[in-house]
Amino acid sequence: MIHKSKLAAPGLAVTLICGAILAACSQVSGTPKSVPDAAATIPTRAAIPGLSEKYAKLRKRQVAQVDYQLSANLDRNSDSFSGTVTADTTFQHTLQQPLTIDFAGGTVESVAVDGRDIPVEYNDHFITIAAQHLPNLQHAITVHFQHPYSKNGSGLHRFEDPKDGKVYMYTDFEPYDANRLFPHFDQPNLKAHYTLDVIAPKDWIVISAERESRVEKKGELRHWFFPQSQKFSSYIFSLHAGPYHIWEDEADGIPLRLMARQSLAQYVKPDDWFTFTKQSFAFFQPYFEIDYPFKKYDQILVPDFNAGAMENVGSVTFNDSYVSRGEKTQAQRMRLANVIAHEMAHQWFGDLVTMNWWDDLWLNESFATYMANLSLAENSEFTNTWENFYLGTKQWAYNADQRPTTHAIQLPVKNTDEAFANFDGITYGKGGSILKQLPYYLGKEAFRKGVSNYLKALSYRNSTLDDFMGHLGVAAGMDLDQWQQQWLYKAGLNTIEASFQCQKDQITGLTLKQTAPKEYPTLRTQRTQLGFYRMESESMKQVATLPVLYSGAITKVKEAVGLPCPEILYPNEGDWAFAKVNLDPVSVENMSKHINDIEPPFIRLMLWQSLFDSTYDAKLPLDKYISFLLSNGAAEQDINAVRLNARNLGFAYGYLNQIPIENVRRDELQLAIENFVWTQLQQSPAGSDRQKTWFRAFTDVAHSTRALSHARQMLLGELTVGGLKLDPDMRWDLITLQNRYLYSDYEQAIERELQADNSDRAKLNAIAAEAVRPLPESKQKWLDNLSMHRDKFKLSELREAAYSMFPSEQIGLFNTNSERIFATLSQINAEDSPELISTYASIFPLMCNQKDAQKIKDTLAEKQQLKPMLVKALKNHLYSSGRCIAMGEVLAQNSIQIKK
């Protein structure tokens, strides 16, 4: 059911949650009152992994309040850790239904209620306590437990650094892995205070949401004590430990620490980290009108991390791939600044105010995505933030919204498996893009004020989408129901196209046409900006801009009458709107003639992307796109446009590996791409970001004997290209390339490099280089590891192999093994690890013919019980294959027409 946005007075939400559901909610102390807890209508919890929304609602009606006292014992030499947790629990009413406590994959040694042992009922997913053992409204439930350390990056992950043997631990919990650390109620709307103490080796530091209050010596161990935390959801609780290197600073009185493992510390640039952190604090605190709500801010760089970063309260974890072993490009520095700002935005939006359930996950992530970019745009050294947003986040969103797995931004989430599957381009990219265009619709200050009021009203509580939209509507004085229906509850990407007429070099009429795909026919309302361009003094210059609010199928833009007649009209100038652009015929013709004469780099970036979109949509033949780019791309100097073109040339090279085309023509086009990239690499300024961009493109498209020889000579120091300095990770790119084509001494290249670089990154790269070899025995080995020997590897190692195993030119090797790969899906599907499921799904390569694509269709039809993550991945592979097949058909038709 869709509810209208309504703004509740402060404090009313708690009354509604408590009072509307059960009349006895006010009975949280005193004489127990027996109230039915829907046992007649809600079934007993099924003994399966994960948590359903249905059961979470039942438990929310049972539990009024809970606080945890957690003790943990960390042994660096063991495979597991032990602990004790006491949950001080207040119930809404006396229980008629059993109570379950989430705890996946551990061992329960004993359970006690108020100090009295009770029978243990544990099924490896949750502990069940019969209602008879909880007769009162308040109880202390104590569990003694053990749990294996994680090898897949979730729960409490243990990492032993191959460089120096030091052991590090960290936690990662979203959406439903906090119960792999300790038994508790693992759902976001049961917020709690946490009191923690930890026994750990004496040379370790222990990190959590609070700074330690004291540390006691215990021989070779130390006992760390932490004060009670503020109230927040368990998925943002944390426990990290190890001999981390520490840098310290402060931001306007907020204590800052940055931590990394010892072997990586030499590569960390703390000045960048602290600068970006301080800039983010300086922007967010006045924007939200709320001081940073927690007591300190730690940032910890950790290995084997499954995501980019995680917004744990006061102790944010980052994938240590953000540490480069060479000089970062500006794009990499901006990416770092962006992720720092993203996680900090969550401290308010997500940590201070938290979604009630995972159906509002999108709002959590979309908001942080938008706010991070806004922070960089308004308070950082980076002047092209929104261009980067368009190049990365916006393209991710557009791509996701055209796939069959697209979905409404706001959608029901039945369980935590579905929540994990929804970490996608809609949740982050489209949601962030929609929030980006909302200030244009409401007004920037109204949007800011609405956000601030929302955070103030709901601090330390849970919220829903209606809460957020209600505050925005009040601040702007607007009814947002229609906007909410169009943008949040309907899927699909609209297309806009402008058409115009001119007389005497002035516009006499201009209309905007909006279309929608037949599967998602919603036509939307939003504000865009028109950009008008004309040639002046041998340059294509912007001569006018015009903001337009459009809706429906046709919008007549009367304000355009009298403006200069454009040679190029771009209907989404500045990327205000979330819409795909079709250029009118006049603009297409002039763009093709004058792409390098257009002055503003942002519009060139969008036009280059439009050109690739036409190819991906099977409108422009692939060979024409390649020829145009190779003829005009060398003159492009803007780094974002260079990055875009380099990336899209890599895609084009991959399509050519499989699209049906005469071998002579295929070789000609691929060699032309390789030569173009090599020339750009040679001609770029030494050490420049352009040079590094073209180097990575070279390792994607190099394939000829000549190019592979260049790569080997660069690796051995026998060839220097334009002063390019190879860092350790760039060297591994060249080694992987050598193994991909079995060139020269490819096996010895790995061995030589491992002797010089014995880091964990080197070991992962060595796995990738071996898995990519086009040899039956190499594929057999890693398929065996993925299907039969997973317990011998960390997830990060399996992921590296899976991602590398079947590049586009190795479709024949995939087909040789496809029967086994598809058969293993059922086994992978049975695993209680969405991270492993997504890893295995990455094995599937690009498939550009109907016969190969049919295998995926058949699998989806036959295996009806596949988990959401696998279904989504297979459907997306099928969609990508369909696009590639269509591109091949257009290319073939074009070739026939040319021959005639």
Side-chain angles (χ1 to χ4, degrees):
M1 184 181 292
I2 298 171
H3 299 279
K4 292 185 178 180
S5 300
K6 293 183 180 178
L7 182 62
L12 182 58
V14 171
T15 305
L16 290 173
I17 291 171
C18 191
I21 297 174
L22 288 169
C25 277
S26 58
Q27 302 289 324
V28 294
S29 61
T31 305
K33 182 176 179 179
S34 179
V35 177
D37 61 357
T41 58
I42 299 181
T44 302
R45 183 176 181 180
I48 58 176
L51 178 69
S52 70
E53 182 188 25
K54 192 173 184 180
Y55 184 79
K57 286 180 177 179
L58 166 64
R59 194 160 58 185
K60 178 64 177 174
R61 292 199 294 266
Q62 292 176 322
V63 177
Q65 181 177 321
V66 63
D67 292 320
Y68 300 105
Q69 300 174 50
L70 173 63
S71 299
N73 194 328
L74 306 181
D75 183 345
R76 71 175 131 211
N77 298 316
S78 176
D79 293 330
S80 62
F81 61 96
S82 60
T84 300
V85 61
T86 297
D88 293 317
T89 310
T90 301
F91 296 100
Q92 304 275 18
H93 50 79
T94 53
L95 299 184
Q96 306 299 310
Q97 189 87 356
L99 178 74
T100 69
I101 301 175
D102 308 315
F103 186 52
T107 301
V108 176
E109 296 177 346
S110 66
V111 178
V113 174
D114 300 328
R116 187 177 63 256
D117 286 349
I118 63 170
V120 174
E121 294 183 41
Y122 179 55
N123 61 11
D124 204 46
H125 307 304
F126 53 84
I127 301 163
T128 301
I129 300 178
Q132 68 192 60
H133 298 303
L134 300 165
N136 302 317
L137 291 182
Q138 292 180 325
H139 289 289
I141 304 169
T142 300
V143 182
H144 296 277
F145 63 91
Q146 288 189 347
H147 200 286
Y149 293 117
S150 165
K151 294 195 295 184
N152 69 356
S154 62
L156 179 57
H157 182 81
R158 180 187 183 276
F159 172 83
E160 183 172 347
D161 196 329
K163 189 85 174 176
D164 54 20
K166 295 184 184 298
V167 174
Y168 299 86
M169 297 175 184
Y170 64 86
T171 53
D172 190 44
F173 294 151
E174 192 176 22
Y176 185 68
D177 284 324
N179 67 87
R180 295 181 184 275
L181 176 68
F182 69 104
H184 71 286
F185 309 122
D186 195 356
Q187 60 190 71
N189 62 1
L190 286 177
K191 289 191 169 187
H193 299 280
Y194 308 85
T195 305
L196 174 68
D197 69 279
V198 180
I199 296 174
K202 68 177 183 180
D203 58 329
W204 284 14
I205 182 173
V206 179
I207 310 123
S208 190
E210 300 284 324
R211 284 289 288 268
E212 68 277 5
S213 54
R214 72 183 193 279
V215 181
E216 296 179 357
K217 297 180 179 179
K218 296 173 68 81
E220 293 301 305
L221 303 172
R222 296 288 185 271
H223 197 166
W224 295 68
F225 295 87
F226 297 83
Q228 188 181 69
S229 73
Q230 289 155 288
K231 192 172 186 178
F232 52 82
S233 302
S234 62
Y235 79 91
I236 42 181
F237 178 69
S238 61
L239 171 56
H240 320 304
Y244 288 99
H245 186 94
I246 303 173
W247 299 266
E248 297 192 62
D249 207 328
E250 62 92 25
D252 194 24
I254 301 166
L256 306 179
R257 292 189 299 185
L258 175 66
M259 305 177 205
R261 51 197 165 103
Q262 298 290 340
S263 66
L264 202 63
Q266 62 178 311
Y267 301 110
V268 177
K269 295 188 175 179
D271 288 347
D272 268 2
W273 282 83
F274 286 133
T275 295
F276 300 150
T277 301
K278 292 175 186 179
Q279 288 172 342
S280 297
F281 272 124
F283 177 77
F284 287 133
Q285 292 190 116
Y287 188 94
F288 297 141
E289 297 180 0
I290 300 174
D291 288 342
Y292 173 62
F294 305 108
K295 296 176 184 177
K296 51 93 176 178
Y297 199 68
D298 293 335
Q299 297 175 107
I300 306 99
L301 290 152
V302 297
D304 294 342
F305 204 57
N306 290 323
M310 180 61 205
E311 65 269 18
N312 314 304
V313 168
S315 60
V316 179
T317 40
F318 293 82
N319 191 316
D320 66 14
S321 65
Y322 287 111
V323 177
S324 174
R325 296 195 287 177
E327 285 298 315
K328 284 183 180 291
T329 63
Q330 275 295 89
Q332 289 171 321
R333 292 183 70 246
M334 187 186 297
R335 181 169 173 252
L336 173 60
N338 193 293
V339 75
I340 288 172
H342 180 108
E343 303 310 321
M344 188 183 293
H346 274 311
Q347 300 295 308
W348 285 268
F349 207 105
D351 293 7
L352 177 65
V353 180
T354 312
M355 64 208 158
N356 188 64
W357 177 246
W358 298 107
D359 54 350
D360 283 329
L361 169 67
W362 79 268
L363 184 57
N364 209 20
E365 296 302 339
S366 298
F367 185 84
T369 298
Y370 169 64
M371 288 306 305
N373 284 279
L374 184 65
S375 171
L376 263 62
E378 300 198 3
N379 192 46
S380 80
E381 68 189 76
F382 304 107
T383 58
N384 58 353
T385 299
W386 293 120
E387 289 91 329
N388 271 272
F389 181 86
Y390 173 85
L391 176 62
T393 303
K394 205 73 176 282
Q395 297 313 310
W396 183 26
Y398 285 156
N399 187 273
D401 211 17
Q402 296 176 84
R403 291 173 176 267
T405 54
T406 189
H407 52 82
I409 293 176
Q410 177 79 10
L411 78 167
V413 174
K414 292 186 293 186
N415 54 54
T416 49
D417 277 350
E418 289 189 2
F420 189 91
N422 287 340
F423 285 91
D424 62 9
I426 302 298
T427 299
Y428 287 78
K430 184 176 181 179
S433 300
I434 295 309
L435 291 181
K436 177 181 181 290
Q437 57 104 335
L438 194 53
Y440 295 117
Y441 184 62
L442 302 178
K444 291 182 179 180
E445 178 56 20
F447 178 84
R448 188 203 66 77
K449 195 65 181 177
V451 168
S452 175
N453 291 342
Y454 163 81
L455 293 172
K456 290 173 183 175
L458 291 155
S459 291
Y460 301 103
R461 292 162 54 191
N462 294 92
S463 69
T464 65
L465 173 63
D466 281 353
D467 294 319
F468 181 68
M469 297 307 300
H471 280 92
L472 292 185
V474 168
M478 296 174 66
D479 183 347
L480 295 179
D481 285 352
Q482 184 180 6
W483 184 93
Q484 191 170 333
Q485 287 295 319
Q486 289 181 353
W487 286 104
L488 303 183
Y489 292 98
K490 303 291 184 181
L493 177 64
N494 297 106
T495 299
I496 56 173
E497 181 175 349
S499 61
F500 59 91
Q501 302 80 42
C502 297
Q503 288 182 6
K504 297 180 181 180
D505 217 22
Q506 289 186 328
I507 294 174
T508 57
L510 191 154
T511 58
L512 273 180
K513 179 183 178 182
Q514 180 182 194
T515 56
K518 63 180 180 180
E519 301 88 351
Y520 304 104
T522 302
L523 297 178
R524 298 178 169 91
T525 300
Q526 67 176 322
R527 189 173 293 277
T528 189
Q529 184 176 220
L530 308 183
F532 301 81
Y533 292 84
R534 290 172 59 92
M535 286 295 293
E536 294 182 359
S537 303
E538 299 184 351
S539 293
M540 185 71 73
K541 295 184 178 180
Q542 185 188 87
V543 294
T545 59
L546 182 63
V548 176
L549 183 68
Y550 72 87
S551 62
I554 299 291
T555 300
K556 293 184 178 180
V557 186
K558 297 178 182 178
E559 298 84 354
V561 175
L563 291 175
C565 189
E567 291 176 75
I568 295 176
L569 171 57
Y570 196 75
N572 191 17
E573 177 73 25
D575 192 34
W576 285 18
F578 185 81
K580 193 170 184 176
V581 169
N582 272 352
L583 291 176
D584 64 273
V586 173
S587 297
V588 169
E589 181 180 356
N590 286 315
M591 182 266 287
S592 63
K593 293 178 181 176
H594 299 290
I595 186 73
N596 290 313
D597 297 323
I598 301 169
E599 281 193 345
F602 198 172
I603 190 67
R604 290 202 310 276
L605 177 70
M606 291 191 282
L607 290 172
W608 280 117
Q609 182 60 45
S610 290
L611 194 69
F612 181 76
D613 287 343
S614 295
T615 304
Y616 193 58
D617 292 343
K619 296 176 181 177
L620 176 69
L622 180 62
D623 57 347
K624 286 190 175 182
Y625 166 76
I626 294 169
S627 297
F628 182 85
L629 200 159
L630 299 190
S631 298
N632 296 278
E636 181 59 73
Q637 301 298 304
D638 177 69
I639 186 58
N640 282 325
V642 168
R643 289 168 58 209
L644 178 90
N645 286 340
R647 179 176 72 188
N648 289 341
L649 273 179
F651 291 150
Y653 177 87
Y655 296 139
L656 286 170
N657 277 323
Q658 291 194 29
I659 283 177
I661 184 176
E662 291 181 357
N663 287 334
V664 172
R665 181 60 170 155
R666 186 197 323 276
D667 294 344
E668 178 187 23
L669 288 168
Q670 289 191 320
L671 191 59
I673 291 173
E674 179 188 272
N675 288 336
F676 177 82
V677 171
W678 177 249
T679 299
Q680 301 314 304
L681 173 59
Q682 289 179 304
Q683 294 180 353
S684 297
S688 67
D689 289 1
R690 268 193 293 142
Q691 187 184 55
K692 292 173 184 175
T693 299
W694 288 118
F695 170 81
R696 287 186 168 81
F698 173 74
T699 61
D700 284 338
V701 304
H703 64 286
S704 71
T705 301
R706 177 172 173 266
L708 296 173
S709 176
H710 288 331
R712 183 175 183 274
Q713 287 176 311
M714 291 167 65
L715 188 62
L716 296 175
E718 298 171 358
L719 173 65
T720 302
V721 178
L724 179 68
K725 184 179 180 181
L726 298 179
D727 65 36
D729 299 317
M730 295 165 76
R731 293 180 60 81
W732 278 108
D733 288 340
L734 294 172
I735 292 169
T736 301
L737 174 64
Q738 195 174 341
N739 277 264
R740 179 174 173 177
Y741 293 100
L742 304 180
Y743 182 77
S744 187
D745 56 344
Y746 60 91
E747 291 179 294
Q748 289 77 20
I750 294 177
E751 295 171 4
R752 283 195 303 268
E753 201 67 20
L754 284 174
Q755 290 177 1
D757 180 10
N758 65 341
S759 65
D760 64 302
R761 287 193 193 179
K763 294 182 183 299
L764 291 174
N765 278 308
I767 289 173
E770 182 181 335
V772 80
R773 291 174 185 164
L775 296 171
E777 58 268 28
S778 184
K779 307 307 179 188
Q780 184 72 32
K781 173 182 176 180
W782 282 103
L783 286 173
D784 285 348
N785 290 337
L786 278 159
S787 62
M788 298 187 296
H789 309 309
R790 292 192 298 274
D791 58 328
K792 297 180 180 178
F793 295 90
K794 297 186 297 182
L795 182 67
S796 59
E797 295 168 329
L798 297 175
R799 183 188 298 125
E800 203 68 39
Y803 284 3
S804 307
M805 199 173 298
F806 295 108
S808 57
E809 74 275 7
Q810 294 184 21
I811 185 65
L813 281 165
F814 174 82
N815 288 333
T816 300
N817 293 280
S818 64
E819 184 175 345
R820 177 185 182 181
I821 291 169
F822 281 104
T824 306
L825 281 172
S826 297
Q827 180 193 135
I828 297 295
N829 190 62
E831 292 285 336
D832 181 17
S833 172
E835 296 87 0
L836 175 64
I837 290 172
S838 62
T839 291
Y840 190 79
S842 67
I843 285 180
F844 293 89
L846 182 69
M847 299 175 178
C848 291
N849 66 74
Q850 295 287 1
K851 182 180 178 182
D852 294 338
Q854 187 64 41
K855 296 175 185 176
I856 297 181
K857 272 188 185 177
D858 293 343
T859 298
L860 286 168
E862 294 164 4
K863 298 181 182 295
Q864 298 292 320
Q865 302 304 314
L866 292 180
K867 290 180 179 176
M869 201 76 186
L870 268 180
V871 172
K872 188 172 187 175
L874 291 174
K875 284 184 176 180
N876 284 338
H877 278 296
L878 188 61
Y879 170 81
S880 298
S881 298
R883 283 295 182 109
C884 189
I885 291 167
M887 290 165 65
E889 291 170 350
V890 168
L891 184 60
Q893 292 169 5
N894 184 62
S895 299
I896 291 170
Q897 290 170 359
I898 290 173
K899 287 178 181 178
K900 288 181 179 179

